[in-house]
Amino acid sequence: MMTAFPMNRSIVCVLLLASGALLAQHEYTATDIENGGRQYVNNCVYCHGPEGDQIAGVSLFQGRFKRAVSDDDIVQIIRNGVPGTGMPAQTGMNEANARTIVAYLRSAAAVPASTLTGGNAARGKSLFEGKGACATCHRVQGSGSRMGPDLSDIGMQRRAVELEKSLLDPGAGVLPQHRFVQVTPKSGPAVTGRLLNQDTFTLQLIDSQERLRTFVIADLRDYSVLKDSRMPSYKDKLSRQELADMVSYLVSLKGPNKP
Amino acid sequence: MKRFVLLVVSIASLSAQVTFDRILNAGKEPQNWLTYSGGTSSQRHSTLTQITPDNVKNLELQWIFQSRSLERYEATPLVVDGVMYTVQNPDDVLALDAATGRVYWTYNYQLSPDARPCCGRLSRGLAILGDTLFIGTIDAHVVALDAKSGKPLWNAQVGDPEKGYAITHAPLIVKDKVIVGMAGGEYGIRGYILGLDAKTGKEAWRFYTIPGPGEPGHESWAGDSWQHGGASVWVTGSYDPESNLTFWGIGNPGPDWNGDTRGGDNLYACSVVALDADTGKLKWYYQFSPHDEFDYDAVQVPVLADIDWQGRPRKVMMWANRNGLFYVLDRTTGQFLSGKPFVKVNWMNGFDERGRPMKLASAASSKTGTLIFPGNQGGTNWYSPSFSPHTGLFYIPAWDNYSSLYVKQDQDFVEGRTFGGGGPRPTGPATKTGVQNFRGDEDIYGAVRAIDPKTGEKKWEFKMADVTEAGILTTASDVLFTGGHEGYFFALDARNGKLLWKSSLGGEVRSGPMTFMVNGRQYVAVDAGNSLFVWALRQ
């Protein structure tokens, strides 16, 4: 008895997309890249810098390395270090995590550097707090709203080009932990907030008044996790110079000094 | 005088030994839970009916046993005549009063430092025969204990822990034998199943899960790959007294994620094997996932039942596999009767006339990565399913919308070291312990899926925001108990999936619930985090 199942069209599409998105020598998922970005910030950024170019002769995001050629070379160097140099062995890092860093580097290499140069960080700060009204959602070193992501060390976490992209097209890449949720209780007005957690029966959010709130899903008329960004695009709101100033300010946000 | 006789009988039955006849007829004494899955047919179904869909909301926590171990608790306890026997990870054994949780005795196992199980230093439970308890340990020993005192009776080393051999599942008793299988599929072991004499621990038979030279199936391994091909066992099997067959699910071939050096189907990896329980001889096998590269261990509990199949009664085995398909097999002959995806599957698109899956050419691990549904943890995994003869439905703890990117690497075998040949990469938000859940509708989720085995069709599902590694218990009063990563333990109506009751335990439920009765009161028990929780109806 031969039994054939109809092939799910959406699965076929995913496969084609996956094979079309070949990066360097390995294929990496968006999750790999995201995880790798976090690993990079935690383990690499203090020496290599957010642009990956703080070590002479090395430009990680341009694919310029002193010794590594292949992805496997990079993994090996991350884990074992380079004896006699300042590159320490990440002895506690497993291969899978090291490989996510490679995913992040390869992904970043595919994005050209920001063209918004010549910005002034002080002017950017004024824009952030004034015309841009960024502090109505974002917090920097203790002031501003907790509704959106805290940007106190965003300059350590994101490259200038990524910050530029976020300002111009904020909906392009919302991380899962920055998703908003809209809930409509059976009684009372709808509430929008940043999703903090959810399970089968409840969800937790921080609302626009910075209240930590839990909703019982059975008591809701409706709720949806919003994939788009709540942040407006600044493409037509700020001039090119103002955008450069803003990026310059954001790049300057390095968080508290760390040892 | 008559009253006196009755009293004597009552005391005698309370202290009676657990004969194999009692184990075979476990359904006749539903106050007890005599095997890992509640009986040799492994339905994880109880005929106790005190707790019902109407009154389950009145469950009240009776006691908690907090184990002295931070390892996740995956065990199912046994209960025999008011005494509960369970493990404390990795391999301690305890006897507790089943109604109060007070400890009668503790056996502390002295573990070899050579133990190196891949995926948790834990035991999933015990077996009992007569007055003797049996545990398989992660340093590959089987230990027999006096059930009254916890004193060891014998201790048999049955594998080399330095080479990665381990036992993590509850043993199975068949007649006078203790049956165990070897974990270690990530270390390049050559798996085997043993029948040990329950009185002495002496090996009565051995079945290698990878055939050696000259044996049928040996040709399914290229070159010398059979020597380190894995094919482990880490979940308890079942037994059918009519055919005298014991059924065991076999794990993945090794190296896990790179099949280049092990060309062929790699028998009996990712298969169910039916063995003569007296001799260990292979009677039949069915391979769910030939030449697996996606870690699709067939380490599920074989669920046996006699059901109506296309108009006539049939002795079947039901199996929700890690590879995402639900199967019905004839358990006497191994004949493939049906197979159908219960979650999103993209590695195959049907079966040939012999029941062999038609694997897609694109479904192969690659150096650049291949996207496969279901992902590495599977559409389900080792988590116990349940079959309710009362509803006729089969209940699966499922992961859906779940994929991995499979990346292979070249790897040479080194004894005692992991032998994976690459690995899976995540494609969605994390499913790890303790993280907040930011997932959206299109992301991976967990569910209890109720399947009609006659059609393979889904009758209902209970969707969870997070995934689940909890087993499922059903009762004859149509109450279904399960839990999940979120730390809820809850009851559903087994007929329609409606939520009846829930309790937040604060630790992931990664075990199979069970139920028992003491002094006329029904209890339900489950492990969550590293503790064991027990409820009964409020009095």
Side-chain angles (χ1 to χ4, degrees):
Chain A
M1 166 194 53
M2 187 174 294
T3 322
F5 305 134
M7 197 59 183
N8 185 320
R9 185 173 291 177
S10 66
I11 295 176
V12 178
C13 292
V14 170
L15 278 174
L16 291 174
L17 280 173
S19 60
L22 209 63
L23 288 169
Q25 299 149 59
H26 283 271
E27 188 172 326
Y28 298 106
T29 64
T31 309
D32 282 336
I33 294 164
E34 183 194 326
N35 291 341
R38 243 189 328 265
Q39 293 282 348
Y40 182 84
V41 169
N42 290 338
N43 297 287
C44 317
V45 77
Y46 290 99
C47 295
H48 285 281
E51 297 289 343
D53 58 358
Q54 279 184 196
I55 304 291
V58 176
S59 186
L60 298 178
F61 299 140
Q62 268 72 52
R64 204 161 63 239
F65 304 94
K66 283 184 180 171
R67 292 169 179 81
V69 176
S70 68
D71 290 7
D72 292 343
D73 294 341
I74 305 172
V75 168
Q76 191 269 333
I77 287 174
I78 292 170
R79 296 183 71 201
N80 300 327
V82 181
T85 74
M87 176 71 191
Q90 302 289 335
T91 49
M93 186 178 292
N94 64 29
E95 182 179 333
N97 282 340
R99 202 160 284 283
T100 65
I101 296 178
V102 180
Y104 176 65
L105 299 183
R106 296 299 194 197
S107 158
V111 181
S114 174
T115 54
L116 286 174
T117 53
N120 177 297
R123 282 202 307 265
K125 185 171 191 290
S126 301
L127 285 166
F128 185 94
E129 293 164 352
K131 182 178 176 183
C134 308
T136 56
C137 289
H138 292 288
R139 194 167 177 87
V140 173
Q141 282 150 17
S143 74
S145 170
R146 295 174 175 89
M147 175 95 153
D150 190 312
L151 301 180
S152 298
D153 62 351
I154 197 67
M156 293 299 275
Q157 306 215 25
R158 293 281 178 273
R159 303 168 64 199
V161 66
E162 293 167 337
L163 295 167
E164 174 189 340
K165 194 173 178 196
S166 291
L167 287 166
L168 298 177
D169 185 11
V174 180
L175 295 176
Q177 61 267 34
H178 296 157
R179 285 173 176 167
F180 274 61
V181 60
Q182 187 164 48
V183 303
T184 311
K186 284 178 180 163
S187 57
V191 175
T192 301
R194 182 160 53 88
L195 180 64
L196 299 178
N197 197 5
Q198 62 181 324
D199 63 46
T200 305
F201 307 108
T202 69
L203 62 84
Q204 289 72 39
L205 56 78
I206 180 165
D207 71 10
S208 55
Q209 280 82 50
E210 302 187 330
R211 287 179 297 187
L212 298 171
R213 300 180 68 178
T214 285
F215 292 87
V216 175
I217 290 170
D219 296 338
L220 300 178
R221 192 181 323 142
D222 185 36
Y223 80 100
S224 55
V225 178
L226 308 173
K227 299 296 173 56
D228 59 329
S229 175
R230 309 304 290 168
M231 178 170 148
S233 168
Y234 287 88
K235 190 175 178 187
D236 300 319
K237 290 191 170 67
L238 299 178
S239 70
R240 187 167 174 78
Q241 181 58 52
E242 287 172 326
L243 284 168
D245 293 341
M246 189 79 96
V247 168
S248 179
Y249 170 59
L250 294 172
V251 164
S252 76
L253 298 176
K254 305 290 191 190
N257 290 329
K258 291 185 181 173
Chain B
M1 192 61 197
K2 200 171 178 184
R3 182 180 286 179
F4 174 71
V5 171
L6 278 175
L7 185 65
V8 168
V9 169
S10 170
I11 291 169
S13 73
L14 274 178
S15 60
Q17 295 200 338
V18 181
T19 61
F20 184 60
D21 194 51
R22 281 182 72 185
I23 293 172
L24 273 183
N25 293 289
K28 291 181 182 162
E29 44 179 304
Q31 73 276 19
N32 292 323
W33 191 268
L34 299 180
T35 76
Y36 174 75
S37 297
T40 54
S41 45
S42 303
Q43 295 179 352
R44 201 168 281 266
H45 176 81
S46 170
T47 54
L48 292 179
T49 56
Q50 189 175 83
I51 300 170
T52 69
D54 287 335
N55 67 20
V56 66
K57 61 181 181 290
N58 299 322
L59 281 181
E60 185 176 74
L61 188 62
Q62 301 299 304
W63 55 268
I64 301 172
F65 170 72
Q66 295 194 18
S67 75
R68 276 64 172 172
S69 164
L70 295 178
E71 190 60 74
R72 60 182 184 263
Y73 219 164
E74 296 188 352
T76 298
L78 304 179
V79 168
V80 183
D81 304 329
V83 179
M84 176 180 282
Y85 301 99
T86 193
V87 297
Q88 174 173 267
N89 289 321
D91 290 312
D92 296 343
V93 181
L94 298 107
L96 311 93
D97 177 60
T100 64
R102 306 315 298 176
V103 174
Y104 289 122
W105 54 255
T106 306
Y107 167 72
N108 294 114
Y109 181 66
Q110 299 303 309
L111 190 64
S112 160
D114 296 327
R116 60 191 70 181
C118 71
C119 312
R121 297 172 71 81
L122 54 83
S123 164
R124 299 191 182 86
L126 306 165
I128 189 165
L129 179 67
D131 270 340
T132 307
L133 289 164
F134 304 92
I135 183 170
T137 67
I138 59 169
D139 57 359
H141 287 239
V142 177
V143 182
L145 302 171
D146 183 329
K148 298 286 159 82
S149 67
K151 300 289 181 226
L153 302 172
W154 53 257
N155 178 333
Q157 180 167 3
V158 295
D160 185 346
E162 278 194 88
K163 293 179 180 171
Y165 289 82
I167 303 173
T168 59
H169 68 84
L172 178 73
I173 301 296
V174 177
K175 301 178 187 173
D176 58 352
K177 294 189 180 61
V178 185
I179 305 179
V180 292
M182 291 294 135
E186 275 64 53
Y187 289 93
I189 65 162
R190 181 187 175 206
Y192 51 88
I193 300 171
L194 297 174
L196 305 176
D197 183 312
K199 289 242 179 318
T200 63
K202 195 170 161 224
E203 184 175 319
W205 54 256
R206 173 180 294 224
F207 172 77
Y208 276 105
T209 56
I210 299 176
E215 294 180 302
H218 182 70
E219 71 288 349
S220 69
W221 296 84
D224 291 337
S225 60
W226 64 278
Q227 292 180 355
H228 308 299
S232 61
V233 172
W234 46 280
V235 167
T236 307
S238 303
Y239 174 68
D240 176 20
E242 285 182 52
S243 57
N244 194 36
L245 293 176
T246 183
F247 309 101
W248 291 80
I250 311 299
N252 60 278
D256 305 35
W257 299 284
N258 186 346
D260 291 354
T261 56
R262 50 175 171 83
D265 281 355
N266 306 143
L267 294 171
Y268 299 101
C270 302
S271 305
V272 50
V273 294
L275 309 178
D276 181 295
D278 298 329
T279 64
K281 298 274 186 247
L282 181 71
K283 177 85 179 292
W284 59 258
Y285 73 91
Y286 175 78
Q287 190 173 38
F288 300 99
S289 310
H291 191 73
D292 167 57
E293 293 183 302
F294 309 137
D295 207 3
Y296 288 159
D297 297 73
V299 288
Q300 293 77 42
V301 174
V303 179
L304 316 183
D306 296 346
I307 65 171
D308 183 68
W309 184 261
Q310 295 175 352
R312 68 182 179 96
R314 190 131 196 185
K315 297 176 188 310
V316 303
M317 169 186 293
M318 292 171 281
W319 200 296
N321 197 280
R322 189 165 169 172
N323 69 14
L325 292 131
F326 171 75
Y327 297 83
V328 182
L329 307 177
D330 181 308
R331 71 170 180 269
T332 309
T333 63
Q335 183 189 345
F336 170 86
L337 300 179
S338 71
K340 195 164 192 174
F342 63 90
V343 292
K344 189 185 283 186
V345 163
N346 78 344
W347 62 273
M348 56 86 78
N349 62 358
F351 292 93
D352 71 13
E353 60 282 352
R354 291 171 301 128
R356 181 186 171 88
M358 296 188 293
K359 196 171 176 179
L360 300 182
S362 56
S365 187
S366 62
K367 293 210 166 172
T368 54
T370 307
L371 187 73
I372 295 291
F373 289 81
N376 199 66
Q377 292 303 308
T380 188
N381 202 306
W382 65 274
Y383 340 123
S384 292
S386 179
F387 174 72
S388 167
H390 202 250
T391 62
L393 299 178
F394 188 88
Y395 303 94
I396 308 170
W399 293 29
D400 209 347
N401 258 3
Y402 171 47
S403 61
S404 292
L405 194 71
Y406 286 92
V407 181
K408 70 180 177 187
Q409 290 172 356
D410 298 329
Q411 185 172 2
D412 294 326
F413 174 75
V414 178
E415 193 166 272
R417 304 260 309 260
T418 54
F419 188 46
R425 318 296 299 265
T427 59
T431 56
K432 292 262 167 70
T433 308
V435 294
Q436 294 152 279
N437 182 353
F438 306 108
R439 288 184 207 121
D441 290 342
E442 81 285 8
D443 294 326
I444 176 177
Y445 64 91
V448 176
R449 290 234 154 109
I451 304 280
D452 181 348
K454 293 172 191 165
T455 61
E457 295 292 334
K458 180 174 74 179
K459 291 288 275 193
W460 56 257
E461 79 167 348
F462 181 83
K463 197 172 168 184
M464 296 177 230
D466 206 341
V467 294
T468 174
E469 295 186 45
I472 295 174
L473 166 74
T474 57
T475 70
S477 52
D478 294 328
V479 182
L480 180 155
F481 290 99
T482 191
H485 270 201
E486 294 166 350
Y488 289 105
F489 182 56
F490 54 90
L492 305 178
D493 188 319
R495 296 164 294 190
N496 53 32
K498 187 179 157 216
L499 179 72
L500 301 171
W501 168 83
K502 70 176 190 299
S503 179
S504 181
L505 306 183
E508 293 181 9
V509 181
R510 290 177 183 252
S511 64
M514 52 81 77
T515 187
F516 58 93
M517 184 173 265
V518 182
N519 295 329
R521 197 171 185 209
Q522 185 184 354
Y523 296 80
V524 59
V526 76
D527 304 327
N530 47 23
S531 295
L532 168 68
F533 297 79
V534 179
W535 292 263
L537 292 175
R538 192 175 304 125
Q539 287 184 316

